[in-house]
């Protein structure tokens, strides 16, 4: 049934979903900066995203080893930008993620990069394989970023004096 659908419709649909998800992430990030953060809020996104690896159980999403390395390398390079723009600040006894003016532009830039890359690569790489590559890229970007955030958060948390009970 799904094999009868032309691949360009998959590309269009996944591009629309990427725009919706990117917008959702931007709204969530803006809201998150108004509330204190904690270890759980930092750790949950990569754990939740890791369930997406189940796509690789299906042959159409499997990616050759060299493309795995390429996608992971690009994701790690992009993670350095996110790491550089993610800072925390202490307000009283709470730790907040600082709002970065550059973050929205970075997310929009990454989204545009993804859309353009998908349009270019979809002519030479199967849509399912491409989906696998973009998941690898996104996970390889998210995981180092969140690990760096957790390390930074833990260091800052140690500097806060304990509340009097």
């Amino acid at each position: 049934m799904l094999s009868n659908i032309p691949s360009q419709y998959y590309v269009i649909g996944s591009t629309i979903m990427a725009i919706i998800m990117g917008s959702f992430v931007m709204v969530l990030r803006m809201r998150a900066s108004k509330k204190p953060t904690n270890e759980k809020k930092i750790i949950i996104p990569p754990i939740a995203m890791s369930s997406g690896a189940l796509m690789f159980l299906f042959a159409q999403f499997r990616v050759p080893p060299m493309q795995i390395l390429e996608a992971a390398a690009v994701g790690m390079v992009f993670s350095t930008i996110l790491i550089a723009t993610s800072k925390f600040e202490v307000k009283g006894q709470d730790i907040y993620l600082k709002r970065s003016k550059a973050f929205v532009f970075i997310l929009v830039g990454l989204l545009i990069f993804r859309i353009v890359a998908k349009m270019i690569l979809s002519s030479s790489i199967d849509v399912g394989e491409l989906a696998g590559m973009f998941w690898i890229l996104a996970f390889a970007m998210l995981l180092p970023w969140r690990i760096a955030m957790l390390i930074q958060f833990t260091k800052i948390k140690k500097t806060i004096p304990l509340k009097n009970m």
Side-chain angles (χ1 to χ4, degrees), residues 120-132:
I120 293 168
L121 294 173
S122 65
S123 63
S124 61
I125 299 175
D126 180 65
V127 175
E129 195 176 309
L130 197 56

Side-chain angles (χ1 to χ4, degrees), residues 7-21 111 114-115 118-119 127 130-131 134:
S7 65
Q8 64 261 27
Y9 291 125
Y10 289 122
V11 173
I12 292 167
S14 64
T15 300
I16 292 169
M17 283 305 297
I19 291 168
I20 291 169
M21 289 171 52
L111 188 59
R114 179 190 168 149
I115 291 168
K118 185 178 279 188
M119 295 297 174
V127 175
L130 197 56
F134 276 104

Side-chain angles (χ1 to χ4, degrees), residues 128-143:
E129 195 176 309
L130 197 56
M133 287 177 67
F134 276 104
W135 182 88
I136 292 166
L137 186 152
F139 193 71
M141 182 173 61
L142 181 69
L143 189 62

